[in-house]
């Protein structure tokens, strides 16, 4: 199998989720740092338009969204599992809530004026402006952001509920961490990095102790890698999906082989265009060719994404 190549940046919360899963599963990985904002000239040749962070590359296969990437890592290293029985369904539902509702409440709290001032204290004004404009473009559409006061009330309630789950066990659903733990952890990890706002965590000491247990898992064994090396590997490789479930499930009336577009439902609406080569019950796969990266398969989860026939198809 080709190396696991994670395209990420150090302060990305969702990247921290995957870095910890890689460490938990003891999977070695290559680290490619990418920009936090557009332009991303070494990412788009791989994804065809998708610009959210992180992205996992394995040869000529590119996996988008941490929900899908977690499934890929589970396939590569089934133990320790991210989806324990009999709470498998519960772990996925809780993870989905954490990656969306909890995440946006946390980030609204984290980047309130005093938090944002600390995060960008060493950045020049033009960089702060560029970041705000970039995230504004990603939020175009039906997405509503919480105001800091509303975020404070929601975030405190969510932290108390997480604390309640830890009354009689070290992790959210049992004796070992699962996908719910990693998904709930990463927005709180971002809070903990900011002195001006991290005091909210002190209201729930059990949550702080749980965070310490998650952090102790570490990031495992990683090695620095360049974007050019990663793109060259993509071009020299042949797609070979690791997603076990490839049975065609047609919910759109779009046959395999059609030219399609796929994009996120809410945050980051840039489209990827390609030939639909798989549509299973859990994921889509598009085949596309790039001058730099060659022929690639780009994979997306079904949940949270919109699939359509391309306008010119």
């Amino acid at each position: 199998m080709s190396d696991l190549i994670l395209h990420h940046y150090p302060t990305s919360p969702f990247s921290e989720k995957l870095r910890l899963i890689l460490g938990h599963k003891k999977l070695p990985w290559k680290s490619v740092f990418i920009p936090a904002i557009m332009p991303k000239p070494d990412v788009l040749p791989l994804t065809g338009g998708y610009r959210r962070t992180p992205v996992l590359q394995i040869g000529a296969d590119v996996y988008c969204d941490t929900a899908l990437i977690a499934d890929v890592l589970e396939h590569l290293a089934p133990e320790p599992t991210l989806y324990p029985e009999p709470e498998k369904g519960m772990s996925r539902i809780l993870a989905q809530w954490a990656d969306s509702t909890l995440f946006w409440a946390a980030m609204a709290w984290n980047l309130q004026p005093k938090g944002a001032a600390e995060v960008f204290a060493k950045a020049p004004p033009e960089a702060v402006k560029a970041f705000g404009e970039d995230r504004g473009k990603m939020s175009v559409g039906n997405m509503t952001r919480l105001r800091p006061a509303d975020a404070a009330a929601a975030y405190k309630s969510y932290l108390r509920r997480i604390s309640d789950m830890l009354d009689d066990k070290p992790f959210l659903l049992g004796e070992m961490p699962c996908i719910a733990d990693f998904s709930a952890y990463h927005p709180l990890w971002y809070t903990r990095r900011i002195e001006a706002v991290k005091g909210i965590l002190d209201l729930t000491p059990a949550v702080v102790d749980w965070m310490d247990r998650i952090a102790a898992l570490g990031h495992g064994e990683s090695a620095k890698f360049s974007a050019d090396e990663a793109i060259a590997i993509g071009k020299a490789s042949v797609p070979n999906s690791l997603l076990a479930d490839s049975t065609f499930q047609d919910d759109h009336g779009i046959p395999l082989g059609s030219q399609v577009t796929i994009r996120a439902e809410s945050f980051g609406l840039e489209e990827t265009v390609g030939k639909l080569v798989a549509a299973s019950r859990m994921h889509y796969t598009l085949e596309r060719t790039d001058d730099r990266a060659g022929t690639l398969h780009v994979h997306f989860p079904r949940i949270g994404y919109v699939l359509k026939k391309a306008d010119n198809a």
Side-chain angles (χ1 to χ4, degrees):
M1 184 194 75
S2 298
D3 291 330
L4 304 180
I5 304 172
L6 185 67
H7 299 257
H8 66 123
Y9 59 88
T11 59
S12 160
F14 279 93
S15 296
E16 180 66 8
K17 171 185 172 181
L18 282 190
R19 291 186 292 251
L20 286 164
I21 292 175
L22 287 161
H24 181 49
K25 288 184 172 290
K26 295 181 170 51
L27 288 167
W29 53 285
K30 306 287 190 187
S31 171
V32 176
F33 284 163
I34 63 176
I37 65 173
M38 293 290 269
K40 298 187 176 186
D42 296 322
V43 176
L44 301 191
L46 296 170
T47 66
Y50 179 87
R51 46 78 55 98
R52 285 158 56 171
T53 305
V55 171
L56 180 71
Q57 178 190 352
I58 306 176
D61 287 274
V62 178
Y63 300 93
C64 302
D65 197 287
T66 60
L68 181 64
I69 295 170
D71 285 341
V72 172
L73 299 181
E74 180 79 356
H75 175 82
L76 291 172
E79 296 296 335
T81 183
L82 295 174
Y83 311 105
E85 297 289 0
E87 292 89 5
K88 183 177 181 179
M90 177 64 76
S91 69
R92 288 187 181 276
I93 290 172
L94 186 55
Q96 186 179 354
W97 165 81
D99 282 340
S100 53
T101 304
L102 174 63
F103 176 81
W104 289 115
M107 294 308 289
W109 169 263
N110 295 337
L111 295 179
Q112 62 182 285
K114 63 182 180 180
E118 181 178 329
V119 169
F120 297 109
K122 296 181 180 179
E126 57 270 22
V128 178
K129 181 181 178 182
F131 184 88
E133 291 176 348
D134 181 84
R135 291 306 188 261
K137 291 175 182 177
M138 292 184 76
S139 303
V140 172
N142 60 358
M143 181 177 175
T144 302
R145 289 180 179 269
L146 289 173
R147 296 174 300 175
D150 298 322
Y155 198 17
K156 289 174 184 176
S157 292
Y158 296 151
L159 289 171
R160 288 193 297 268
R161 294 171 189 179
I162 292 171
S163 181
D164 288 343
M165 295 180 70
L166 297 165
D167 279 347
D168 59 352
K169 49 190 177 295
F171 298 101
L172 295 183
L173 295 179
E175 296 300 314
M176 294 291 290
C178 68
I179 189 62
D181 293 275
F182 295 106
S183 293
Y185 174 84
H186 68 88
L188 280 59
W189 166 82
Y190 199 88
T191 301
R192 205 176 195 182
R193 298 177 61 255
I194 307 172
E195 289 291 333
V197 301
K198 72 177 187 179
I200 195 172
L201 299 172
D202 295 336
L203 301 173
T204 49
V207 172
V208 174
D209 292 343
W210 163 79
M211 292 181 69
D212 289 341
R213 289 191 287 274
I214 297 290
L217 298 172
H219 296 163
E221 179 187 340
S222 66
K224 291 183 179 179
F225 211 56
S226 74
D228 285 338
E229 289 174 303
I231 290 172
I233 283 177
K235 190 163 190 176
S237 303
V238 175
N240 180 28
S241 175
L242 294 174
L243 298 170
D245 178 14
S246 59
T247 303
F248 180 47
Q249 181 169 310
D250 183 10
D251 293 326
H252 296 79
I254 301 176
L256 296 180
S258 300
Q259 285 292 118
V260 298
T261 66
I262 190 167
R263 64 165 177 81
E265 287 178 351
S266 56
F267 185 66
L269 305 183
E270 293 82 2
E271 294 180 335
T272 293
V273 181
K275 181 171 69 174
L276 184 67
V277 294
S280 76
R281 64 187 178 88
M282 294 185 66
H283 78 282
Y284 303 113
T285 299
L286 273 59
E287 182 176 280
R288 52 178 307 279
T289 300
D290 179 86
D291 290 342
R292 286 181 66 196
T295 298
L296 305 165
H297 281 184
V298 188
H299 308 273
F300 299 86
R302 274 187 179 261
I303 294 175
Y305 289 80
V306 177
L307 179 75
K308 293 183 178 179
K309 228 174 184 181
D311 291 337
N312 59 353

mmCIF file of all heavy atoms in Angstrom, residues 93-131:
data_model
loop_
_atom_site.group_PDB
_atom_site.id
_atom_site.type_symbol
_atom_site.label_atom_id
_atom_site.label_comp_id
_atom_site.label_asym_id
_atom_site.label_seq_id
_atom_site.Cartn_x
_atom_site.Cartn_y
_atom_site.Cartn_z
ATOM 1 N N ILE A 93 -23.548 8.898 15.165
ATOM 2 C CA ILE A 93 -24.484 10.010 15.327
ATOM 3 C C ILE A 93 -23.888 11.093 16.209
ATOM 4 O O ILE A 93 -23.972 12.293 15.911
ATOM 5 C CB ILE A 93 -25.819 9.491 15.902
ATOM 6 C CG1 ILE A 93 -26.556 8.661 14.851
ATOM 7 C CG2 ILE A 93 -26.697 10.651 16.380
ATOM 8 C CD1 ILE A 93 -27.783 7.947 15.365
ATOM 9 N N LEU A 94 -23.242 10.693 17.299
ATOM 10 C CA LEU A 94 -22.617 11.659 18.193
ATOM 11 C C LEU A 94 -21.476 12.390 17.494
ATOM 12 O O LEU A 94 -21.295 13.601 17.659
ATOM 13 C CB LEU A 94 -22.119 10.947 19.450
ATOM 14 C CG LEU A 94 -21.549 11.822 20.569
ATOM 15 C CD1 LEU A 94 -22.542 12.893 20.988
ATOM 16 C CD2 LEU A 94 -21.155 10.960 21.765
ATOM 17 N N ALA A 95 -20.717 11.670 16.692
ATOM 18 C CA ALA A 95 -19.622 12.294 15.946
ATOM 19 C C ALA A 95 -20.161 13.325 14.958
ATOM 20 O O ALA A 95 -19.581 14.415 14.803
ATOM 21 C CB ALA A 95 -18.806 11.235 15.219
ATOM 22 N N GLN A 96 -21.256 13.004 14.287
ATOM 23 C CA GLN A 96 -21.838 13.944 13.322
ATOM 24 C C GLN A 96 -22.304 15.216 14.027
ATOM 25 O O GLN A 96 -22.101 16.332 13.544
ATOM 26 C CB GLN A 96 -22.998 13.285 12.588
ATOM 27 C CG GLN A 96 -23.558 14.139 11.459
ATOM 28 C CD GLN A 96 -24.696 13.455 10.730
ATOM 29 O OE1 GLN A 96 -25.009 12.293 10.978
ATOM 30 N NE2 GLN A 96 -25.337 14.172 9.839
ATOM 31 N N TRP A 97 -22.928 15.072 15.201
ATOM 32 C CA TRP A 97 -23.339 16.240 15.988
ATOM 33 C C TRP A 97 -22.111 17.062 16.391
ATOM 34 O O TRP A 97 -22.115 18.297 16.286
ATOM 35 C CB TRP A 97 -24.090 15.773 17.245
ATOM 36 C CG TRP A 97 -24.237 16.846 18.270
ATOM 37 C CD1 TRP A 97 -25.172 17.851 18.283
ATOM 38 C CD2 TRP A 97 -23.399 17.066 19.420
ATOM 39 N NE1 TRP A 97 -24.971 18.667 19.372
ATOM 40 C CE2 TRP A 97 -23.895 18.216 20.091
ATOM 41 C CE3 TRP A 97 -22.296 16.394 19.955
ATOM 42 C CZ2 TRP A 97 -23.310 18.699 21.258
ATOM 43 C CZ3 TRP A 97 -21.709 16.880 21.110
ATOM 44 C CH2 TRP A 97 -22.217 18.018 21.752
ATOM 45 N N ALA A 98 -21.062 16.392 16.839
ATOM 46 C CA ALA A 98 -19.874 17.094 17.300
ATOM 47 C C ALA A 98 -19.182 17.833 16.169
ATOM 48 O O ALA A 98 -18.684 18.955 16.351
ATOM 49 C CB ALA A 98 -18.911 16.101 17.963
ATOM 50 N N ASP A 99 -19.132 17.225 14.987
ATOM 51 C CA ASP A 99 -18.456 17.838 13.844
ATOM 52 C C ASP A 99 -19.237 19.002 13.255
ATOM 53 O O ASP A 99 -18.701 19.752 12.430
ATOM 54 C CB ASP A 99 -18.223 16.796 12.748
ATOM 55 C CG ASP A 99 -17.048 15.884 13.038
ATOM 56 O OD1 ASP A 99 -16.190 16.253 13.853
ATOM 57 O OD2 ASP A 99 -16.989 14.794 12.435
ATOM 58 N N SER A 100 -20.480 19.162 13.652
ATOM 59 C CA SER A 100 -21.310 20.235 13.099
ATOM 60 C C SER A 100 -21.796 21.168 14.204
ATOM 61 O O SER A 100 -21.238 22.243 14.414
ATOM 62 C CB SER A 100 -22.482 19.638 12.308
ATOM 63 O OG SER A 100 -23.206 18.698 13.106
ATOM 64 N N THR A 101 -22.790 20.753 14.961
ATOM 65 C CA THR A 101 -23.389 21.633 15.965
ATOM 66 C C THR A 101 -22.384 22.080 17.027
ATOM 67 O O THR A 101 -22.249 23.268 17.321
ATOM 68 C CB THR A 101 -24.582 20.932 16.632
ATOM 69 O OG1 THR A 101 -25.514 20.541 15.622
ATOM 70 C CG2 THR A 101 -25.262 21.842 17.622
ATOM 71 N N LEU A 102 -21.693 21.115 17.633
ATOM 72 C CA LEU A 102 -20.707 21.466 18.658
ATOM 73 C C LEU A 102 -19.585 22.306 18.066
ATOM 74 O O LEU A 102 -19.147 23.297 18.667
ATOM 75 C CB LEU A 102 -20.145 20.191 19.294
ATOM 76 C CG LEU A 102 -18.993 20.391 20.289
ATOM 77 C CD1 LEU A 102 -19.450 21.201 21.500
ATOM 78 C CD2 LEU A 102 -18.418 19.047 20.729
ATOM 79 N N PHE A 103 -19.096 21.916 16.898
ATOM 80 C CA PHE A 103 -17.972 22.621 16.282
ATOM 81 C C PHE A 103 -18.299 24.096 16.073
ATOM 82 O O PHE A 103 -17.498 24.972 16.425
ATOM 83 C CB PHE A 103 -17.602 21.964 14.954
ATOM 84 C CG PHE A 103 -16.516 22.686 14.205
ATOM 85 C CD1 PHE A 103 -15.186 22.501 14.537
ATOM 86 C CD2 PHE A 103 -16.825 23.583 13.186
ATOM 87 C CE1 PHE A 103 -14.175 23.187 13.867
ATOM 88 C CE2 PHE A 103 -15.830 24.267 12.510
ATOM 89 C CZ PHE A 103 -14.502 24.069 12.850
ATOM 90 N N TRP A 104 -19.463 24.398 15.493
ATOM 91 C CA TRP A 104 -19.765 25.789 15.169
ATOM 92 C C TRP A 104 -20.054 26.619 16.409
ATOM 93 O O TRP A 104 -19.740 27.814 16.454
ATOM 94 C CB TRP A 104 -20.904 25.862 14.155
ATOM 95 C CG TRP A 104 -20.437 25.394 12.807
ATOM 96 C CD1 TRP A 104 -20.860 24.301 12.119
ATOM 97 C CD2 TRP A 104 -19.422 26.013 12.015
ATOM 98 N NE1 TRP A 104 -20.168 24.182 10.932
ATOM 99 C CE2 TRP A 104 -19.282 25.221 10.846
ATOM 100 C CE3 TRP A 104 -18.624 27.138 12.163
ATOM 101 C CZ2 TRP A 104 -18.374 25.532 9.842
ATOM 102 C CZ3 TRP A 104 -17.718 27.458 11.163
ATOM 103 C CH2 TRP A 104 -17.598 26.656 10.013
ATOM 104 N N ALA A 105 -20.628 26.002 17.450
ATOM 105 C CA ALA A 105 -20.792 26.731 18.706
ATOM 106 C C ALA A 105 -19.424 27.053 19.309
ATOM 107 O O ALA A 105 -19.174 28.174 19.779
ATOM 108 C CB ALA A 105 -21.629 25.913 19.679
ATOM 109 N N ALA A 106 -18.527 26.070 19.302
ATOM 110 C CA ALA A 106 -17.191 26.275 19.844
ATOM 111 C C ALA A 106 -16.437 27.351 19.075
ATOM 112 O O ALA A 106 -15.786 28.234 19.669
ATOM 113 C CB ALA A 106 -16.414 24.959 19.834
ATOM 114 N N MET A 107 -16.496 27.304 17.747
ATOM 115 C CA MET A 107 -15.727 28.265 16.962
ATOM 116 C C MET A 107 -16.290 29.675 17.079
ATOM 117 O O MET A 107 -15.531 30.658 17.035
ATOM 118 C CB MET A 107 -15.677 27.817 15.498
ATOM 119 C CG MET A 107 -14.907 26.517 15.278
ATOM 120 S SD MET A 107 -13.234 26.505 16.006
ATOM 121 C CE MET A 107 -12.379 27.647 14.920
ATOM 122 N N ALA A 108 -17.604 29.807 17.238
ATOM 123 C CA ALA A 108 -18.169 31.133 17.472
ATOM 124 C C ALA A 108 -17.672 31.695 18.798
ATOM 125 O O ALA A 108 -17.392 32.891 18.929
ATOM 126 C CB ALA A 108 -19.691 31.064 17.451
ATOM 127 N N TRP A 109 -17.564 30.824 19.811
ATOM 128 C CA TRP A 109 -17.001 31.238 21.092
ATOM 129 C C TRP A 109 -15.501 31.544 20.959
ATOM 130 O O TRP A 109 -15.009 32.564 21.431
ATOM 131 C CB TRP A 109 -17.219 30.149 22.140
ATOM 132 C CG TRP A 109 -16.445 30.372 23.403
ATOM 133 C CD1 TRP A 109 -15.245 29.830 23.765
ATOM 134 C CD2 TRP A 109 -16.811 31.238 24.484
ATOM 135 N NE1 TRP A 109 -14.838 30.281 25.000
ATOM 136 C CE2 TRP A 109 -15.778 31.154 25.461
ATOM 137 C CE3 TRP A 109 -17.906 32.073 24.735
ATOM 138 C CZ2 TRP A 109 -15.821 31.871 26.650
ATOM 139 C CZ3 TRP A 109 -17.937 32.793 25.931
ATOM 140 C CH2 TRP A 109 -16.914 32.681 26.865
ATOM 141 N N ASN A 110 -14.785 30.669 20.291
ATOM 142 C CA ASN A 110 -13.328 30.809 20.177
ATOM 143 C C ASN A 110 -12.916 32.093 19.474
ATOM 144 O O ASN A 110 -11.935 32.738 19.856
ATOM 145 C CB ASN A 110 -12.739 29.616 19.400
ATOM 146 C CG ASN A 110 -12.918 28.303 20.121
ATOM 147 O OD1 ASN A 110 -13.076 28.261 21.335
ATOM 148 N ND2 ASN A 110 -12.906 27.211 19.368
ATOM 149 N N LEU A 111 -13.640 32.443 18.419
ATOM 150 C CA LEU A 111 -13.234 33.574 17.585
ATOM 151 C C LEU A 111 -14.087 34.807 17.836
ATOM 152 O O LEU A 111 -14.210 35.663 16.955
ATOM 153 C CB LEU A 111 -13.259 33.164 16.109
ATOM 154 C CG LEU A 111 -12.233 32.072 15.752
ATOM 155 C CD1 LEU A 111 -12.327 31.697 14.293
ATOM 156 C CD2 LEU A 111 -10.819 32.494 16.115
ATOM 157 N N GLN A 112 -14.662 34.919 19.036
ATOM 158 C CA GLN A 112 -15.232 36.195 19.467
ATOM 159 C C GLN A 112 -14.094 37.209 19.487
ATOM 160 O O GLN A 112 -12.909 36.852 19.410
ATOM 161 C CB GLN A 112 -15.863 36.047 20.844
ATOM 162 C CG GLN A 112 -14.875 35.651 21.936
ATOM 163 C CD GLN A 112 -15.543 35.470 23.278
ATOM 164 O OE1 GLN A 112 -15.888 36.459 23.912
ATOM 165 N NE2 GLN A 112 -15.721 34.212 23.698
ATOM 166 N N PRO A 113 -14.392 38.511 19.585
ATOM 167 C CA PRO A 113 -13.329 39.521 19.419
ATOM 168 C C PRO A 113 -12.063 39.288 20.229
ATOM 169 O O PRO A 113 -10.955 39.382 19.697
ATOM 170 C CB PRO A 113 -14.044 40.818 19.815
ATOM 171 C CG PRO A 113 -15.461 40.583 19.388
ATOM 172 C CD PRO A 113 -15.732 39.125 19.678
ATOM 173 N N LYS A 114 -12.183 38.951 21.526
ATOM 174 C CA LYS A 114 -10.958 38.778 22.317
ATOM 175 C C LYS A 114 -10.194 37.519 21.913
ATOM 176 O O LYS A 114 -8.966 37.488 21.979
ATOM 177 C CB LYS A 114 -11.268 38.755 23.809
ATOM 178 C CG LYS A 114 -12.150 37.613 24.278
ATOM 179 C CD LYS A 114 -12.440 37.721 25.772
ATOM 180 C CE LYS A 114 -13.327 36.580 26.267
ATOM 181 N NZ LYS A 114 -13.611 36.697 27.725
ATOM 182 N N GLY A 115 -10.910 36.482 21.477
ATOM 183 C CA GLY A 115 -10.234 35.282 21.001
ATOM 184 C C GLY A 115 -9.546 35.519 19.677
ATOM 185 O O GLY A 115 -8.391 35.122 19.473
ATOM 186 N N ALA A 116 -10.260 36.189 18.750
ATOM 187 C CA ALA A 116 -9.672 36.480 17.443
ATOM 188 C C ALA A 116 -8.464 37.396 17.584
ATOM 189 O O ALA A 116 -7.466 37.234 16.870
ATOM 190 C CB ALA A 116 -10.725 37.106 16.538
ATOM 191 N N ALA A 117 -8.533 38.353 18.512
ATOM 192 C CA ALA A 117 -7.397 39.269 18.710
ATOM 193 C C ALA A 117 -6.150 38.503 19.116
ATOM 194 O O ALA A 117 -5.036 38.817 18.677
ATOM 195 C CB ALA A 117 -7.760 40.315 19.767
ATOM 196 N N GLU A 118 -6.328 37.478 19.951
ATOM 197 C CA GLU A 118 -5.171 36.683 20.366
ATOM 198 C C GLU A 118 -4.660 35.792 19.231
ATOM 199 O O GLU A 118 -3.452 35.699 18.989
ATOM 200 C CB GLU A 118 -5.544 35.817 21.569
ATOM 201 C CG GLU A 118 -4.393 34.962 22.082
ATOM 202 C CD GLU A 118 -4.763 34.143 23.299
ATOM 203 O OE1 GLU A 118 -5.611 34.593 24.087
ATOM 204 O OE2 GLU A 118 -4.206 33.035 23.465
ATOM 205 N N VAL A 119 -5.591 35.141 18.530
ATOM 206 C CA VAL A 119 -5.206 34.238 17.436
ATOM 207 C C VAL A 119 -4.409 34.982 16.372
ATOM 208 O O VAL A 119 -3.409 34.464 15.840
ATOM 209 C CB VAL A 119 -6.458 33.581 16.819
ATOM 210 C CG1 VAL A 119 -6.102 32.859 15.519
ATOM 211 C CG2 VAL A 119 -7.090 32.614 17.812
ATOM 212 N N PHE A 120 -4.810 36.214 16.064
ATOM 213 C CA PHE A 120 -4.183 36.958 14.972
ATOM 214 C C PHE A 120 -3.248 38.064 15.473
ATOM 215 O O PHE A 120 -2.889 38.961 14.707
ATOM 216 C CB PHE A 120 -5.271 37.565 14.078
ATOM 217 C CG PHE A 120 -6.130 36.535 13.408
ATOM 218 C CD1 PHE A 120 -7.454 36.348 13.800
ATOM 219 C CD2 PHE A 120 -5.616 35.733 12.400
ATOM 220 C CE1 PHE A 120 -8.248 35.397 13.191
ATOM 221 C CE2 PHE A 120 -6.409 34.773 11.780
ATOM 222 C CZ PHE A 120 -7.724 34.596 12.178
ATOM 223 N N ALA A 121 -2.829 37.967 16.728
ATOM 224 C CA ALA A 121 -2.019 39.039 17.327
ATOM 225 C C ALA A 121 -0.726 39.301 16.560
ATOM 226 O O ALA A 121 -0.276 40.446 16.472
ATOM 227 C CB ALA A 121 -1.708 38.701 18.780
ATOM 228 N N LYS A 122 -0.128 38.239 16.021
ATOM 229 C CA LYS A 122 1.159 38.397 15.341
ATOM 230 C C LYS A 122 1.019 38.479 13.815
ATOM 231 O O LYS A 122 2.026 38.538 13.101
ATOM 232 C CB LYS A 122 2.077 37.234 15.706
ATOM 233 C CG LYS A 122 2.428 37.192 17.188
ATOM 234 C CD LYS A 122 3.359 36.028 17.496
ATOM 235 C CE LYS A 122 3.712 35.979 18.982
ATOM 236 N NZ LYS A 122 4.601 34.839 19.301
ATOM 237 N N ALA A 123 -0.212 38.483 13.337
ATOM 238 C CA ALA A 123 -0.440 38.521 11.888
ATOM 239 C C ALA A 123 -0.605 39.966 11.424
ATOM 240 O O ALA A 123 -1.212 40.783 12.123
ATOM 241 C CB ALA A 123 -1.681 37.720 11.537
ATOM 242 N N PRO A 124 -0.088 40.302 10.244
ATOM 243 C CA PRO A 124 -0.287 41.654 9.713
ATOM 244 C C PRO A 124 -1.759 41.879 9.373
ATOM 245 O O PRO A 124 -2.498 40.922 9.116
ATOM 246 C CB PRO A 124 0.595 41.670 8.458
ATOM 247 C CG PRO A 124 0.765 40.236 8.080
ATOM 248 C CD PRO A 124 0.734 39.464 9.362
ATOM 249 N N PRO A 125 -2.221 43.129 9.378
ATOM 250 C CA PRO A 125 -3.641 43.420 9.121
ATOM 251 C C PRO A 125 -4.166 42.817 7.826
ATOM 252 O O PRO A 125 -5.298 42.345 7.768
ATOM 253 C CB PRO A 125 -3.682 44.949 9.085
ATOM 254 C CG PRO A 125 -2.513 45.381 9.910
ATOM 255 C CD PRO A 125 -1.457 44.349 9.694
ATOM 256 N N GLU A 126 -3.321 42.805 6.795
ATOM 257 C CA GLU A 126 -3.787 42.263 5.509
ATOM 258 C C GLU A 126 -4.038 40.760 5.594
ATOM 259 O O GLU A 126 -4.933 40.230 4.921
ATOM 260 C CB GLU A 126 -2.791 42.573 4.386
ATOM 261 C CG GLU A 126 -1.374 42.066 4.598
ATOM 262 C CD GLU A 126 -0.470 43.056 5.308
ATOM 263 O OE1 GLU A 126 -0.996 43.947 6.005
ATOM 264 O OE2 GLU A 126 0.760 42.939 5.142
ATOM 265 N N ALA A 127 -3.270 40.059 6.438
ATOM 266 C CA ALA A 127 -3.480 38.622 6.602
ATOM 267 C C ALA A 127 -4.785 38.347 7.352
ATOM 268 O O ALA A 127 -5.520 37.409 7.027
ATOM 269 C CB ALA A 127 -2.306 37.993 7.345
ATOM 270 N N VAL A 128 -5.074 39.171 8.356
ATOM 271 C CA VAL A 128 -6.327 39.030 9.101
ATOM 272 C C VAL A 128 -7.513 39.284 8.174
ATOM 273 O O VAL A 128 -8.508 38.541 8.185
ATOM 274 C CB VAL A 128 -6.360 40.004 10.293
ATOM 275 C CG1 VAL A 128 -7.682 39.886 11.043
ATOM 276 C CG2 VAL A 128 -5.184 39.731 11.233
ATOM 277 N N LYS A 129 -7.409 40.316 7.368
ATOM 278 C CA LYS A 129 -8.475 40.642 6.421
ATOM 279 C C LYS A 129 -8.666 39.505 5.424
ATOM 280 O O LYS A 129 -9.811 39.109 5.125
ATOM 281 C CB LYS A 129 -8.139 41.934 5.684
ATOM 282 C CG LYS A 129 -9.203 42.353 4.689
ATOM 283 C CD LYS A 129 -8.809 43.637 3.955
ATOM 284 C CE LYS A 129 -9.873 44.006 2.922
ATOM 285 N NZ LYS A 129 -9.482 45.230 2.151
ATOM 286 N N ALA A 130 -7.570 38.956 4.919
ATOM 287 C CA ALA A 130 -7.653 37.863 3.938
ATOM 288 C C ALA A 130 -8.317 36.634 4.540
ATOM 289 O O ALA A 130 -9.130 35.973 3.885
ATOM 290 C CB ALA A 130 -6.261 37.520 3.420
ATOM 291 N N PHE A 131 -7.989 36.324 5.812
ATOM 292 C CA PHE A 131 -8.607 35.169 6.470
ATOM 293 C C PHE A 131 -10.110 35.374 6.616
ATOM 294 O O PHE A 131 -10.902 34.471 6.330
ATOM 295 C CB PHE A 131 -7.973 34.945 7.848
ATOM 296 C CG PHE A 131 -8.483 33.722 8.556
ATOM 297 C CD1 PHE A 131 -7.882 32.486 8.355
ATOM 298 C CD2 PHE A 131 -9.572 33.792 9.417
ATOM 299 C CE1 PHE A 131 -8.358 31.345 8.995
ATOM 300 C CE2 PHE A 131 -10.062 32.669 10.058
ATOM 301 C CZ PHE A 131 -9.450 31.448 9.853
#
